[in-house]
Amino acid sequence: MKKLYILLTLINFSLSAQIKGIVKDSVSGQPIPYVNIWVENENIGATSEENGTFEIKTSDTSKTLIFSVIGYETKKISASNSDNIVLKPIIYQLEDVVIFKPKNTKEIEIGDSKKRFYLPEPQTIPWIFGRKFTAEDSEIKFIKNIIYYTNSEVEKGIFRVRIYSIGNDGIPNEDILPEEQLVEVKKGKHKTIVDLLKYKIEIPNEGIIVAFESLLIDQNKYIQSGINIKTKKRTEQLNYSPHIMYFYNNTFDSYTFRAGKWMRFTKEYYDKYKQIKVIIPAIDLTLTN
C-alpha cells in the first residue's frame, strides 16, 4: 500500500509539473495554432495545438518562455504569466521590398544535397534547422521553390517552412516569408517541393537562410522503439515527426535554433571540437530569373 501511495504521488506530481496556457491573436482574439514555444536556455519546448492551447513540461515559473510563429512578433514572457498569451500580428509591406518581377524564363537548382542520410534522433523539443544560400548568378536569384528531403514516421506529418535574412552577426535575423507555409508529407522518405514563386523573393548579396521547423503537435506524434545500448533491452519513447534528412559538406554553413537561441555550425566550429564533418540539412533551392 505504501509503495502504491508513493507511485500515485509521483504520477500526480508529474501531471501537475506543467505550465499550461493558450496563445491568441491580439487583434481578433482568435487562438493561434502551431506556435512554437521554447524555455529560454533549456532543452524544453512545445507547440500550440489547433485551438491555441499548449503545455510545457516544467513547473519552474521563474523561467522565460519564447513564442515564435510566422506573421507575429516573437515574444518573451515569464512562465508565471503564460496562461493567456497575446501575440501581435506583423504588417508586411511587400511593395517596399519587391522591386523586380521574375521573368521565369531560366532556372537552376542549387544546394547539392547528395548522399543523404536519416538520423532517427529524438525530436522532443521544437527545433529549426537551416542552411545558408547565396545566388552566384546575378541574373538568376529569385526563389522558385524549396526542395526538402524528409522522412516521416506518420502518414501526414507537418512541418513549417522558414526563410530568414542574415543579421550583422551572421545568424538568422527576420522572417522573409510574409505568411505561414505549413507542409504536409507522406509517411516514409520523400522529396517535397514547396512552390514560392508568387512571393517574388530575391536572394540578396549576403544570402539567406532557408530552414525546416519541427512542430510538436498531436498529428506528428509516434512511438519510437529502440535498443538501450547499456542494458540491451528494447525501449519505447514518444517522438515527433517528420524529420529533415542530412548530408555532410565542409563548405556550407548550417544553423539550428534550440533552447531559445541560434547556433551557427561552420567548418571552424567542427575543427574546434575535433569533429570532421559539418552536418547540413537536406534542403535545395530552384532559382529563376
Side-chain angles (χ1 to χ4, degrees):
M1 180 63 70
K2 184 177 181 180
K3 289 182 179 179
L4 177 61
Y5 174 78
I6 293 173
L7 177 61
L8 291 174
T9 301
L10 290 173
I11 292 174
N12 288 333
F13 177 79
S14 176
L15 292 174
S16 63
Q18 296 181 351
I19 295 173
K20 300 181 180 181
I22 186 169
V23 189
K24 296 181 180 180
D25 185 299
S26 66
V27 178
S28 68
Q30 294 298 310
I32 307 175
Y34 309 146
V35 178
N36 267 341
I37 308 150
W38 292 270
V39 178
E40 192 171 38
N41 300 320
E42 299 280 349
N43 286 320
I44 304 172
T47 305
S48 67
E49 295 289 344
E50 285 193 46
N51 61 1
T53 61
F54 67 90
E55 296 182 2
I56 298 284
K57 291 181 173 60
T58 180
S59 59
D60 190 345
T61 56
S62 67
K63 298 291 185 180
T64 298
L65 303 184
I66 301 172
F67 295 79
S68 174
V69 66
I70 290 178
Y72 292 86
E73 294 181 349
T74 298
K75 189 169 188 176
K76 291 186 178 184
I77 193 166
S78 171
S80 60
N81 298 317
S82 62
D83 56 329
N84 193 354
I85 303 298
V86 177
L87 299 184
K88 183 180 178 181
I90 296 175
I91 306 300
Y92 291 90
Q93 295 180 329
L94 292 181
E95 66 275 8
D96 293 338
V97 177
V98 179
I99 300 174
F100 304 104
K101 183 178 180 180
K103 298 176 183 178
N104 198 27
T105 58
K106 300 179 182 179
E107 66 178 52
I108 57 172
E109 185 175 313
I110 61 173
D112 197 30
S113 295
K114 298 177 181 178
K115 296 183 179 179
R116 299 176 297 273
F117 61 90
Y118 163 62
L119 288 177
E121 55 197 332
Q123 194 165 251
T124 53
I125 58 171
W127 65 32
I128 306 173
F129 210 157
R131 58 175 296 193
K132 181 179 179 180
F133 287 93
T134 57
E136 296 183 2
D137 190 322
S138 60
E139 293 184 359
I140 306 177
K141 53 185 178 181
F142 286 94
I143 298 178
K144 183 174 183 178
N145 57 56
I146 304 176
I147 303 167
Y148 289 93
Y149 293 94
T150 59
N151 184 73
S152 181
E153 292 81 2
V154 299
E155 190 55 46
K156 294 182 179 180
I158 297 177
F159 71 91
R160 177 182 288 126
V161 176
R162 298 296 285 256
I163 305 178
Y164 298 94
S165 62
I166 300 177
N168 295 331
D169 53 3
I171 64 172
N173 187 19
E174 296 181 345
D175 280 304
I176 292 178
L177 274 174
E179 59 186 0
E180 187 88 307
Q181 287 290 319
L182 297 174
V183 181
E184 185 177 277
V185 296
K186 296 179 181 179
K187 188 174 183 178
K189 296 177 182 178
H190 290 281
K191 173 183 178 181
T192 303
I193 300 175
V194 183
D195 185 0
L196 297 178
L197 186 60
K198 68 178 181 179
Y199 296 113
K200 305 178 180 67
I201 298 172
E202 182 182 5
I203 298 181
N205 293 334
E206 65 273 16
I208 59 171
I209 295 164
V210 180
F212 167 98
E213 182 173 9
S214 63
L215 300 172
L216 273 57
I217 56 176
D218 287 342
Q219 186 170 335
N220 288 343
K221 283 182 179 179
Y222 72 100
I223 300 300
Q224 184 178 33
S225 299
I227 301 295
N228 187 301
I229 297 176
K230 293 182 178 180
T231 64
K232 307 300 181 182
K233 294 182 178 180
R234 179 166 294 277
T235 62
E236 291 187 342
Q237 65 177 359
L238 177 66
N239 206 344
Y240 291 84
S241 205
H243 288 78
I244 188 70
M245 296 181 70
Y246 303 102
F247 68 103
Y248 291 119
N249 192 300
N250 283 349
T251 63
F252 301 141
D253 290 355
S254 64
Y255 307 76
T256 185
F257 187 86
R258 303 184 190 186
K261 57 185 177 182
W262 282 105
M263 292 185 66
R264 181 184 181 187
F265 299 102
T266 63
K267 185 177 185 300
E268 291 73 22
Y269 175 90
Y270 280 85
D271 287 345
K272 179 180 178 181
Y273 292 100
K274 310 299 182 183
Q275 297 189 39
I276 300 172
K277 299 177 180 179
V278 179
I279 296 178
I280 308 296
I283 304 170
D284 291 340
L285 291 184
T286 303
L287 302 183
T288 187
N289 61 334

